[in-house]
Structure formats: structure tokens, C-alpha cells
């Protein structure tokens, strides 16, 4: 009796009676059931939805694709197919370029069927396109191989958009080829009628050369035009199968916009030259129209400075307000007496690339030159330069603490310019970028930190 009484007292002191203990056991059972239900219907790793089927096979539970809903599984499959289609069609396009060179250009050159000038007129910049394709395809294939080596069977780590933007310089090369296509075909037609040996060579090649797949030279010469118009379609398929949270989603959209803008620009240049053919048309919006204008300005600037395209970097471009202070009015450059005019300004930097073999080794080398190109607003459908480019190696850039919404650029022994943007923060950004590249040019500037010197003054008479 004493032992029973003691047990009752201990049970009462613990605070857990029969009813609370039963409730605790029920709650633990419910929690365990909830955990098991969550594990059976865990959220999809791509979209976060919880409509995953219950996995009964233990091996399937350990697979990465078991964490995906059915919709995302299908999307990943579509994305992988689209990525492989992009790479495979790029390889096929490269094979057609190789055929143009090895089965037509080199034999015609070796046999003396055409002069070097005639070959250049027909085949245009085909070698440049071949080099770009080889480098582009090499990086794409490396991305695919690396993904498979890391166990990424869905190729989710492959970023086509980023790679495309790294090779965006290939678009002007396509433009050069496309704009010469009409004259190239006309020259080929004329020479084929004129030269019997050329006509015989082309006929025998088409009928007897198995590498040509019974296609003639004109069909192969269309390959670059067909390829550049297919890029937006291929990128659209990848974008459609890529979730917006993927790190490459933004680059894919930008790449698609850039190629569409270049195609519109090519069509515009084609019409200006009086040709009747056009590339595949795309719906224009305000953003694409602005990009077409930017492309035209870059071409004007590049033609003016005469630099190689692959060594030129467009650091900044946009509209700035410009004024030229009168003599002796430096300290008053922020005064209301200055008359500002709108101007399109491009900051170009000439940098020698170390290598083009890979993305890692294609980093730009030291700055060789930097210029500001000043372009007037469009008049009569064309851009006109305000003056010759301002070489930053001959300029001093400075600001006035009392007037922080402008900056001044002084061309030694020539002219002075005051610039400003409608947005003050962007004005400061322009100043920092111009000063940065200005300091890298000339040992005398490095010693003086690119600051104005009291012994240097602009002449009282402007040239």
C-alpha cells in the first residue's frame, strides 16, 4: 500500500497524467506522419511546387531528377534538347563554311580560275566567319563537356546566353558578309557565263563531289545568311525552356535582343544601298530601335578611328550636353552663360587582346589608346561628327568642387569642353570612366596623376 501511494505521488509530481501522455503520443504520431507526407511530396527544386509523385523505388529517391515535378522534368528535357540543337547546328554551319573554303575557294585559287580580287568579291570575309565559328564552337563544346564531366546530365550549368554575349563581335562580321551577298552572287553569275573552265569546275563539283551533297556553290554561300537569321529562333527555344530564376535567363534575353537589332540594322543598310532582298523581319519595339541607332553610331565611330573591331571596346555611349567655355572663363564653367547643346558621345578604348582561343585567355591587355567621339544628332538620316575624335592621351579631365554637375576636358594647346548629363550620378560616372582611361595613357600623366598643371594653359585663340 505504501509503494502504491508513493507511485501515485510521483506520477502526480511529474505533471504527466494518462490523458496528457496520450495526447503527446498522438501529436508525435501526427508530426511523424506530416514529415513522411512532406518527404513524399517535397517541393520541386526548380519551381517550388509540391505536385511530385510519391517515389516507391529507393534508388529513384536518390536521383536528382526525383526532386522535380513532372512539368519541370519536361522543361529540363526541352532545354537540354534546345541547347544541343544550338551547338549541333553551329557545328553543321561550320562544316558548310569549311566546304566553301576547301572545296571551292582553295581549288579555284590553286587552278587560277579567278584572280584574287574576284575571289574576294565572291567569298567576301568568309575566313573571318570561319575563325569566329571555330572559336565560338570550341567554347560551346567545352561548356557541354564540362557539364557532363560534373554529372550535369541536364546541362543546367551550360549558359548559352553568356557565351553568345562574349562573342557578340561576330555580328558585325555577319553584317559585312550579308551586305556584300547581292554583289557576290551577281559577280559569280557574270564570271560563270564568261569563263567556261569555271562553269565546268562548278558543274563537276556539284555532281561528282560527295562532300557537297549535290548542292551548288550558291547554296553554300547562303549558309551565313541562314545561320544569322536562325540565332533568334534557337535562343527563343532555350529561353522558353529556361526558368526565370536560372542565372543565364537574363543573358539569353539580351543575346536575343542584340541579334534581332543587328538583323534590323542589316535590313536598314540593305534598303539604303538599293537592294531588294531583306533578312527575316522581326517586330520592332522602342528598345530595338534604340539599339539599331547605337549600332549605326558605333559603326561611324569605328570607321572614324580606324581601329580593328576585335581590339575595340565601347566603354560608354549616350547623350551628353556639351559646351565650350570662352577664354579665361574656366572658373565659370558652371555659370549660366554657357550654352549647352545635345551631343551623342562614345568612349572607345583600344586594347590588345592576349588570345582569342578561350574565354579565360581572351582578357583584354593594356590600353593602347582611348578616344571620345562626338556625334551630332541625326540629320537627314545620317550621323555627322562634330570634330575629329578627342584622344585622351592629349587631354586632362577635371572637376570643380563648386560645380559638381559638370566636368571639364581640356585638350592640350587646343580646346576645352564642359560636359554634363541630365542625371548628376551619370555625369559622375562619365567623369570617372574618362579619367580612368586617361590616366593609363602616358607616363607624364601617371606622374602628375592626370591633374591640371599651372604651367599648362589653353591658348587664347582657339583653332
Amino acid at each position: 500500500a505504501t509503494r502504491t501511494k508513493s507511485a501515485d505521488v510521483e506520477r502526480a509530481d511529474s505533471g504527466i497524467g494518462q490523458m496528457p501522455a496520450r495526447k503527446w503520443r498522438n501529436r508525435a504520431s501526427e508530426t511523424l506522419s506530416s514529415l513522411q507526407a512532406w518527404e513524399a511530396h517535397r517541393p520541386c527544386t526548380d519551381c517550388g511546387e509540391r505536385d511530385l509523385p510519391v517515389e516507391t523505388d529507393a534508388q529513384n529517391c536518390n536521383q536528382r531528377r526525383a526532386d522535380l515535378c513532372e512539368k519541370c522534368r519536361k522543361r529540363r528535357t526541352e532545354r537540354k534538347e534546345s541547347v544541343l540543337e544550338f551547338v549541333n547546328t553551329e557545328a553543321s554551319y561550320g562544316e558548310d563554311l569549311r566546304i566553301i573554303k576547301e572545296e571551292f575557294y582553295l581549288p579555284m585559287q590553286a587552278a587560277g580560275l579567278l584572280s584574287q580580287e574576284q575571289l574576294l568579291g565572291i567569298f567576301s570575309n568568309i575566313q573571318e566567319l570561319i575563325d569566329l565559328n571555330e572559336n565560338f564552337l570550341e567554347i560551346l563544346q567545352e561548356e557541354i563537356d564540362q557539364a557532363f564531366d560534373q554529372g550535369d546530365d541536364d546541362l543546367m550549368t551550360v549558359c548559352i546566353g553568356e557565351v553568345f554575349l562574349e562573342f557578340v563581335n561576330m555580328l558585325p562580321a555577319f553584317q559585312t558578309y550579308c551586305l556584300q551577298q547581292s554583289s557576290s552572287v551577281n559577280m559569280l553569275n557574270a564570271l560563270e557565263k564568261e569563263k567556261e573552265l569555271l562553269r565546268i569546275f562548278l558543274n563537276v563539283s556539284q555532281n561528282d563531289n560527295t562532300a557537297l551533297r549535290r548542292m551548288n556553290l550558291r547554296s553554300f554561300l547562303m549558309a551565313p545568311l541562314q545561320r544569322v537569321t536562325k540565332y533568334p529562333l534557337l535562343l527563343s527555344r532555350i529561353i522558353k525552356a529556361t526558368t526565370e530564376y536560372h542565372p543565364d535567363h537574363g543573358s539569353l534575353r539580351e543575346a536575343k535582343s542584340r541579334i534581332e537589332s543587328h538583323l534590323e540594322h542589316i535590313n536598314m543598310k540593305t534598303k539604303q544601298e538599293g537592294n531588294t532582298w531583306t533578312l527575316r523581319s522581326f517586330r520592332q519595339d522602342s528598345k530595338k530601335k534604340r539599339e539599331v541607332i547605337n549600332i549605326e553610331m558605333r559603326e561611324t565611330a569605328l570607321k572614324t578611328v580606324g581601329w580593328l573591331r576585335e581590339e575595340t571596346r565601347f566603354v560608354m555611349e549616350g547623350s551628353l550636353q556639351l559646351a565650350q567655355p570662352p577664354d579665361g572663363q574656366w572658373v565659370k564653367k558652371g555659370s549660366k552663360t554657357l550654352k549647352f547643346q545635345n551631343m551623342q558621345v562614345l568612349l572607345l578604348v583600344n586594347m590588345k587582346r592576349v588570345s582569342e582561343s578561350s574565354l579565360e585567355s581572351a582578357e583584354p591587355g593594356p590600353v593602347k589608346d582611348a578616344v571620345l567621339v562626338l556625334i551630332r544628332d541625326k540629320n537627314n538620316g545620317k550621323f555627322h561628327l562634330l570634330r575629329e575624335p578627342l584622344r585622351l592621351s592629349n587631354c586632362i579631365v577635371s572637376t570643380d568642387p563648386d560645380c559638381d554637375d559638370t566636368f571639364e576636358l581640356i585638350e592640350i594647346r587646343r580646346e576645352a569642353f564642359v560636359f554634363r548629363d541630365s542625371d548628376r550620378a551619370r555625369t559622375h560616372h562619365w567623369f570617372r570612366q574618362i579619367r580612368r582611361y586617361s590616366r593609363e595613357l602616358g607616363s607624364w600623366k601617371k606622374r602628375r596623376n592626370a591633374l591640371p598643371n599651372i604651367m599648362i594653359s589653353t591658348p587664347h585663340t582657339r583653332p
Side-chain angles (χ1 to χ4, degrees):
T2 303
R3 190 180 299 112
T4 304
K5 183 177 181 180
S6 176
D8 292 340
V9 172
E10 290 179 359
R11 186 177 63 185
D13 290 343
S14 67
I16 302 178
Q18 293 181 355
M19 291 299 295
R22 189 179 300 112
K23 290 181 179 179
W24 181 86
R25 287 193 296 269
N26 293 338
R27 185 172 300 173
S29 178
E30 292 175 359
T31 303
L32 180 60
S33 300
S34 298
L35 290 174
Q36 292 175 345
W38 184 89
E39 178 64 21
H41 301 282
R42 55 197 175 280
C44 173
T45 56
D46 278 7
C47 65
E49 297 294 334
R50 294 178 176 271
D51 59 346
L52 277 75
V54 178
E55 297 287 350
T56 57
D57 190 348
Q59 293 182 352
N60 290 337
C61 292
N62 295 328
Q63 293 179 358
R64 178 168 31 182
R65 291 179 65 89
D67 294 333
L68 299 173
C69 65
E70 189 63 29
K71 179 180 179 181
C72 289
R73 287 186 187 183
K74 183 178 179 181
R75 177 185 294 172
R76 283 199 177 192
T77 300
E78 292 175 353
R79 185 180 188 279
K80 178 180 179 180
E81 292 175 352
S82 301
V83 169
L84 291 178
E85 180 186 12
F86 189 99
V87 179
N88 292 335
T89 53
E90 186 70 21
S92 299
Y93 160 65
E95 181 63 21
D96 287 343
L97 294 181
R98 187 194 64 80
I99 289 176
I100 293 175
K101 177 182 178 181
E102 297 183 1
E103 305 297 336
F104 290 105
Y105 180 88
L106 293 179
M108 291 164 66
Q109 183 185 47
L113 295 179
L114 297 177
S115 65
Q116 192 61 36
E117 183 180 357
Q118 292 170 335
L119 290 171
L120 181 61
I122 293 175
F123 296 97
S124 187
N125 62 329
I126 195 69
Q127 184 60 51
E128 182 182 12
L129 294 177
I130 291 174
D131 295 338
L132 288 169
N133 168 261
E134 290 178 351
N135 294 333
F136 188 36
L137 186 60
E138 180 182 358
I139 299 302
L140 290 174
Q141 195 59 55
E142 286 180 0
E143 290 279 318
I144 299 293
D145 295 341
Q146 185 177 3
F148 282 132
D149 291 342
Q150 295 176 350
D152 178 18
D153 295 335
D154 294 329
L155 304 182
M156 293 299 292
T157 57
V158 177
C159 295
I160 296 292
E162 292 183 4
V163 177
F164 193 95
L165 292 177
E166 286 287 341
F167 284 86
V168 75
N169 274 340
M170 66 182 177
L171 298 181
F174 276 108
Q175 174 178 316
T176 300
Y177 186 90
C178 292
L179 293 180
Q180 295 183 8
Q181 178 63 19
S182 180
S183 59
S184 298
V185 173
N186 292 336
M187 177 179 290
L188 178 61
N189 293 336
L191 291 173
E192 191 174 4
K193 294 179 181 179
E194 176 184 343
K195 296 179 178 291
E196 183 179 1
L197 289 179
L198 175 63
R199 184 169 61 254
I200 295 174
F201 168 77
L202 294 177
N203 290 334
V204 171
S205 298
Q206 180 180 355
N207 296 325
D208 298 342
N209 191 339
T210 57
L212 303 186
R213 309 187 298 274
R214 302 190 69 84
M215 294 170 55
N216 57 28
L217 175 58
R218 293 174 186 81
S219 300
F220 282 101
L221 291 177
M222 291 296 294
L225 280 73
Q226 296 169 348
R227 184 59 184 171
V228 73
T229 54
K230 197 172 183 180
Y231 280 134
L233 304 177
L234 295 172
L235 290 172
S236 295
R237 294 177 188 174
I238 301 177
I239 293 173
K240 185 178 179 180
T242 302
T243 176
E244 59 180 339
Y245 305 109
H246 193 280
D248 196 40
H249 190 268
S251 297
L252 285 168
R253 289 193 171 275
E254 182 180 356
K256 180 174 178 288
S257 177
R258 294 286 290 272
I259 181 62
E260 289 179 352
S261 298
H262 269 274
L263 291 176
E264 292 295 343
H265 180 65
I266 293 173
N267 285 337
M268 181 190 69
K269 298 286 287 185
T270 300
K271 293 178 182 178
Q272 291 177 354
E273 295 181 3
N275 295 325
T276 57
W277 65 271
T278 58
L279 298 176
R280 182 179 183 272
S281 180
F282 294 89
R283 181 181 60 86
Q284 289 191 6
D285 53 26
S286 58
K287 182 179 180 180
K288 288 188 177 63
K289 290 180 180 178
R290 289 195 302 269
E291 179 62 22
V292 170
I293 294 176
N294 291 339
I295 294 171
E296 193 172 356
M297 287 196 303
R298 292 174 204 144
E299 284 191 343
T300 302
L302 197 60
K303 183 178 180 181
T304 302
V305 298
W307 295 345
L308 295 176
R309 184 186 302 118
E310 57 271 17
E311 295 182 1
T312 303
R313 179 183 174 192
F314 293 88
V315 180
M316 290 192 69
E317 57 188 30
S319 178
L320 282 179
Q321 294 180 347
L322 177 146
Q324 292 184 266
D327 296 327
Q329 297 295 321
W330 175 337
V331 296
K332 298 181 181 180
K333 63 176 177 289
S335 66
K336 297 181 180 179
T337 59
L338 290 178
K339 296 182 180 180
F340 287 89
Q341 57 179 324
N342 292 325
M343 195 70 54
Q344 299 294 333
V345 182
L346 294 90
L347 173 57
L348 280 69
V349 175
N350 187 273
M351 310 183 81
K352 181 68 175 179
R353 288 186 175 273
V354 179
S355 174
E356 297 289 344
S357 60
S358 65
L359 292 180
E360 291 78 14
S361 61
E363 293 297 327
V367 176
K368 296 196 300 183
D369 202 355
V371 299
L372 276 184
V373 179
L374 310 179
I375 301 179
R376 298 181 184 274
D377 283 340
K378 211 167 186 181
N379 185 19
N380 296 328
K382 295 183 179 180
F383 288 109
H384 298 280
L385 296 177
L386 174 67
R387 63 188 304 285
E388 68 272 13
L390 289 166
R391 299 198 173 274
L392 298 188
S393 58
N394 299 327
C395 297
I396 295 173
V397 190
S398 62
T399 57
D400 188 341
D402 298 330
C403 187
D404 62 351
D405 63 340
T406 63
F407 65 90
E408 186 169 26
L409 187 146
I410 301 177
E411 189 179 19
I412 301 303
R413 303 188 182 282
R414 294 198 66 182
E415 297 177 281
F417 299 90
V418 177
F419 294 95
R420 72 180 182 187
D421 193 280
S422 55
D423 179 56
R424 182 170 299 185
R426 187 162 175 81
T427 300
H428 294 167
H429 185 54
W430 270 100
F431 167 70
R432 288 192 297 268
Q433 291 290 336
I434 295 175
R435 182 180 61 176
R436 169 192 170 188
Y437 290 103
S438 175
R439 286 177 173 178
E440 296 187 29
L441 299 171
S443 58
W444 63 278
K445 284 194 170 186
K446 294 179 181 179
R447 291 196 302 269
R448 294 174 45 251
N449 200 23
L451 295 176
N453 191 301
I454 59 175
M455 300 301 294
I456 299 177
S457 60
T458 56
H460 293 289
T461 304
R462 306 291 181 191

